Amino acid sequence: MPYSGARTKAASGAVVPVIWYLLNLLAIPVIGFVVLLWMFIQSSGTNELRRVHTRAALIMSLLGFVLISSGVVFSWLFFGDVGHFGTFALVWAIALHTGFVLWGMISLAQAMSDKPPVFPAKWL
């Protein structure tokens, strides 16, 4: 007797790039980004949903790096004082990092339900 919750169609594989996006943020930053970049380069032969999730994850990784590092550099140039710089940079980095992790969790839920990520359609 087959399990009643079994899939009736094959998995899209859209979960894989989102998992590497979250690994990039939480566990293995450089390696996760390199694998995500490799998946983006090799995505021409994959299905549309996986390609969309791969592109969104790569753009969000690059956007996260640019926003977090530019905020820290801006605070270093603007404040200059070690106390104010440290406080602003730490709050800035933690708040943005948390936002990007939450986007990854929502995107993972979307990928698991075979839906496109919450992302601007013109960038996909």
Side-chain angles (χ1 to χ4, degrees):
M1 178 172 199
Y3 177 66
S4 62
R7 284 185 170 259
T8 57
K9 62 179 185 170
S12 65
V15 174
V16 176
V18 180
I19 289 174
W20 278 106
Y21 168 79
L22 288 170
L23 283 172
N24 179 31
L25 284 173
L26 299 171
I28 45 176
V30 176
I31 296 169
F33 180 75
V34 169
V35 170
L36 199 56
L37 184 63
W38 177 78
M39 289 174 68
F40 177 73
I41 292 170
Q42 300 292 326
S43 68
S44 62
T46 61
N47 65 6
E48 184 64 26
L49 188 63
R50 182 173 176 161
R51 189 173 23 254
V52 166
H53 275 280
T54 304
R55 184 171 176 90
L58 184 69
I59 290 173
M60 288 299 282
S61 292
L62 293 171
L63 185 65
F65 174 75
V66 168
L67 286 177
I68 292 172
S69 61
S70 65
V72 171
V73 168
F74 171 75
S75 66
W76 179 65
L77 292 174
F78 183 72
F79 291 119
D81 181 30
V82 175
H84 294 302
F85 161 70
T87 303
F88 181 84
L90 191 61
V91 170
W92 177 264
I94 289 173
L96 282 177
H97 186 268
T98 302
F100 282 98
V101 169
L102 289 175
W103 180 86
M105 291 169 40
I106 292 169
S107 184
L108 182 62
Q110 293 289 99
M112 289 172 68
S113 61
D114 289 331
K115 296 179 183 175
V118 179
F119 202 76
K122 64 181 179 179
W123 289 358
L124 298 176

